[in-house]
């Protein structure tokens, strides 16, 4: 069941998702009566609700499991529930609650306090108030000390290496904007939310409701300079949101003439997340254009991880777009032969997805959190092979 859950969360595409969801549901139905208070079953029931695009139910289950009415509780089990709750709250843009949950993890678990702190700071930034930005900077300021603490096995965790790079990146951007004397106040220059950025490694945006995806789209489209990719959401972009996003309601930032995103890394990530979220709302042409942009400019990128992840997301797009076209073909009824048409459709999609997976693997190397994407590539290869067997052969 744990492996099925990992695939549902991270694979990006499943050849027979409906069957897998039924399998997980059946396993929970058979085991829950025997362990009604078991944290594992609560956790997996919440995960199933999330996979079935019901995040509100997932949050309700997790909060109930962490509540005082549950008679049997263990700290290690509570940590699993809280960690899942934090990610679902982040995915739902319930940023204050997500920040609280990530900070609570520091009390429940010793895995990586810098990572929990970093994510909580990102959640505070997303609240877009002066008080929240101050809190975010305070949390960021604790990271150097947290990162210097003794590591398990003497090695930095992959997320912590990534965090150190981000801190340096922001200080250099802040210096470009306001000079070295203000380099430590880098919350003023952050426009790509770090919690959302780290969330793409966990596929946080892969299973969110349409309204949530649309909120992300409008927010990232509001950043300057304007994107050159055509999006149906660009024409309806609210001017007040664009102003708030750019100025961050801060007088100092209002005086800054530089575009919100002034680096290749930021622009490529903007296009990456816009590609993921446009795919989520069914805007496949725009999604493809955004993701293809995110594969460019490799030589000038510091965060080389964006390139292989963008290719991976293109493979996921190939398969989801084919599935959407399949449903349209099937909806025509029996008045036209569809078997050959569907076989041709899936053959092209599988060829394209396979090519994108190969490109992702070729560009992966020793990039940030590469082992996580490497595991996702293995999963989607399995799904492509399974789909090929049941559709083409």
């Amino acid at each position: 069941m744990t492996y099925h859950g990992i695939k549902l969360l991270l694979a990006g595409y499943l050849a027979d998702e409906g069957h897998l969801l039924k399998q997980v549901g059946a396993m929970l139905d058979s085991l829950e009566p025997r362990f009604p208070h078991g944290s594992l079953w609560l956790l997996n029931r919440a995960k199933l609700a999330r996979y079935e695009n019901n995040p509100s139910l997932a949050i309700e289950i997790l909060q109930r499991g962490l509540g005082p009415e549950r008679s049997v509780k263990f700290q290690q089990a509570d940590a699993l529930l809280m960690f899942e709750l934090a990610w679902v709250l982040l995915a739902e843009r319930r940023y204050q609650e997500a920040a609280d949950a990530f900070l609570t993890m520091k009390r429940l678990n010793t895995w990586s306090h810098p990572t929990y702190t970093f994510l909580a700071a990102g959640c505070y930034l997303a609240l877009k108030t002066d008080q929240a930005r101050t809190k975010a900077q305070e949390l960021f300021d604790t990271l150097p000390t947290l990162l210097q603490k003794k590591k398990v096995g003497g090695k930095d965790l992959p997320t912590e290496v990534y965090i150190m790079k981000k801190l340096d990146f922001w200080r250099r951007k802040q210096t470009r904007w306001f000079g070295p004397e203000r380099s430590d106040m880098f919350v003023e220059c952050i426009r790509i939310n770090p919690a959302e950025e780290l969330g793409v490694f966990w596929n946080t945006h892969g299973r969110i409701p349409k309204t949530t995806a649309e909120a992300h789209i409008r927010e990232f489209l509001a950043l300057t300079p304007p994107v050159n990719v055509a999006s149906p959401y660009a024409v309806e972009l609210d001017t007040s949101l664009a102003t708030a996003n750019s100025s961050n309601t801060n007088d100092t930032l209002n005086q800054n003439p530089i575009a919100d995103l002034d680096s290749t890394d930021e622009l490529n990530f903007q296009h990456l997340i816009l590609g993921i979220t446009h795919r989520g709302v069914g805007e496949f042409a725009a999604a493809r254009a955004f993701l293809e942009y995110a594969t460019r400019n490799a030589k000038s990128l510091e965060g080389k991880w964006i390139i292989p992840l963008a290719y991976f997301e293109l493979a996921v797009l190939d398969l989801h777009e084919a599935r959407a076209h399949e449903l349209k073909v099937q909806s025509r009824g029996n008045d036209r032969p569809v078997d050959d048409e569907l076989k041709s459709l899936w053959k092209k999609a599988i060829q394209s997805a396979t090519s994108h997976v190969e490109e992702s693997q070729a560009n992966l190397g020793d990039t940030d959190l590469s082992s996580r994407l490497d595991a996702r590539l293995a999963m989607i290869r399995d799904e492509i092979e399974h789909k090929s067997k049941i559709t083409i052969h």
Side-chain angles (χ1 to χ4, degrees):
M1 183 163 58
T2 300
Y3 177 68
H4 288 338
I6 292 172
K7 285 181 68 175
L8 284 161
L9 175 63
L10 295 177
Y13 169 84
L14 293 163
D16 197 359
E17 181 171 313
H19 176 67
L20 193 56
L21 288 170
K22 287 180 181 178
Q23 276 190 311
V24 173
M27 283 188 279
L28 287 170
D29 290 341
S30 66
L31 291 169
E32 278 176 325
R34 296 165 54 190
F35 309 96
H37 303 293
S39 299
L40 180 61
W41 317 123
L42 285 169
L43 175 64
N44 281 287
R45 182 61 72 182
K47 285 177 178 287
L48 181 61
R50 185 180 180 189
Y51 304 148
E52 293 177 329
N53 298 313
N54 193 345
S56 296
L57 177 59
I59 291 169
E60 179 186 330
I61 292 169
L62 292 165
Q63 289 177 332
R64 187 170 66 246
L66 289 162
E69 66 276 7
R70 185 159 154 256
S71 57
V72 181
K73 300 180 76 175
F74 301 97
Q75 183 166 310
Q76 287 181 324
D78 285 353
L80 294 173
L81 297 175
M82 185 64 71
F83 192 56
E84 180 70 13
L85 177 61
W87 281 113
V88 182
L89 289 168
L90 174 59
E92 282 293 280
R93 297 170 63 91
R94 290 167 60 169
Y95 294 116
Q96 181 62 67
E97 294 169 272
D100 294 340
F102 281 122
L103 290 176
T104 299
M105 286 300 300
K106 295 172 67 176
R107 175 172 54 83
L108 298 176
N109 185 276
T110 60
W111 171 64
S112 175
H113 286 192
T115 303
Y116 300 140
T117 303
F118 182 85
L119 287 163
C123 292
Y124 273 106
L125 273 180
L127 296 173
K128 292 183 170 64
T129 67
D130 289 337
Q131 184 179 6
R133 275 187 293 276
T134 299
K135 178 64 175 178
Q137 186 66 67
E138 290 173 356
L139 289 171
F140 284 133
D141 289 344
T142 68
L143 286 172
T145 300
L146 290 174
L147 288 164
Q148 288 173 3
K149 290 187 176 181
K150 188 176 181 180
K151 316 295 180 184
V152 177
K155 294 183 179 180
D156 293 309
L157 292 170
T159 53
E160 295 176 0
V161 174
Y162 164 87
I163 288 167
M164 286 187 280
K165 291 178 181 179
K166 293 306 296 186
L167 295 175
D168 178 64
F169 179 88
W170 291 328
R171 287 193 181 95
R172 285 182 284 118
K173 181 179 180 181
Q174 180 74 353
T175 299
R176 290 197 303 273
W177 279 27
F178 301 116
E181 66 278 2
R182 300 254 314 261
S183 63
D184 288 336
M185 295 296 295
F186 50 77
V187 292
E188 296 175 338
C189 74
I190 298 174
R191 293 295 183 274
I192 300 293
N193 187 283
E196 302 290 3
E197 183 172 318
L198 193 55
V200 301
F201 292 102
W202 270 262
N203 198 30
T204 303
H205 309 90
R207 289 182 178 272
I208 54 177
K210 183 177 181 180
T211 53
T212 307
E214 289 175 333
H216 283 303
I217 289 170
R218 293 187 180 99
E219 191 163 295
F220 277 91
L221 284 176
L223 297 169
T224 58
V227 299
N228 292 321
V229 175
S231 165
Y233 293 92
V235 297
E236 61 180 66
L237 190 61
D238 185 84
T239 304
S240 63
L241 175 59
T243 302
N245 219 335
S246 181
S247 68
N248 226 12
T249 66
N250 184 297
D251 290 341
T252 303
L253 297 184
N254 283 334
Q255 300 168 11
N256 176 46
I258 305 174
D260 291 316
L261 312 180
D262 68 349
S263 68
T264 303
D265 286 66
E266 293 171 313
L267 290 168
N268 274 41
F269 180 81
Q270 176 198 32
H271 285 73
L272 172 65
I273 197 166
L274 283 170
I276 294 170
T277 47
H278 275 78
R279 184 188 67 218
V281 299
E283 293 291 343
F284 298 123
R288 189 170 299 280
F290 280 120
L291 291 173
E292 286 176 347
Y293 180 100
T295 66
R296 302 173 191 167
N297 310 309
K299 290 184 179 180
S300 56
L301 272 176
E302 293 183 34
K304 303 292 186 184
W305 60 268
I306 297 175
I307 302 291
L309 186 53
Y311 277 119
F312 171 86
E313 296 293 351
L314 278 166
V316 174
L317 173 61
D318 291 328
L319 300 166
H320 279 286
E321 187 173 15
R323 175 57 179 157
H325 288 169
E326 179 182 52
L327 293 174
K328 288 182 181 179
V329 171
Q330 292 172 337
S331 69
R332 296 199 309 245
N334 298 323
D335 58 328
R336 294 173 58 188
V338 298
D339 287 351
D340 289 345
E341 185 175 353
L342 290 179
K343 185 174 287 189
S344 176
L345 168 72
W346 276 108
K347 183 176 181 179
K348 291 178 182 177
I350 287 170
Q351 287 175 342
S352 182
T354 300
S355 176
H356 284 133
V357 167
E358 290 172 354
E359 287 283 359
S360 179
Q361 192 71 63
N363 284 275
L364 184 58
D366 190 25
T367 56
D368 294 321
L369 284 90
S370 57
S371 60
R372 177 167 289 266
L373 181 53
D374 195 37
R376 297 183 72 187
L377 287 166
M379 292 178 198
I380 201 169
R381 281 195 194 95
D382 288 344
E383 295 306 311
I384 290 172
E385 182 179 356
H386 180 47
K387 189 64 180 179
S388 179
K389 288 179 180 178
I390 64 177
T391 307
I392 297 175
H393 301 299

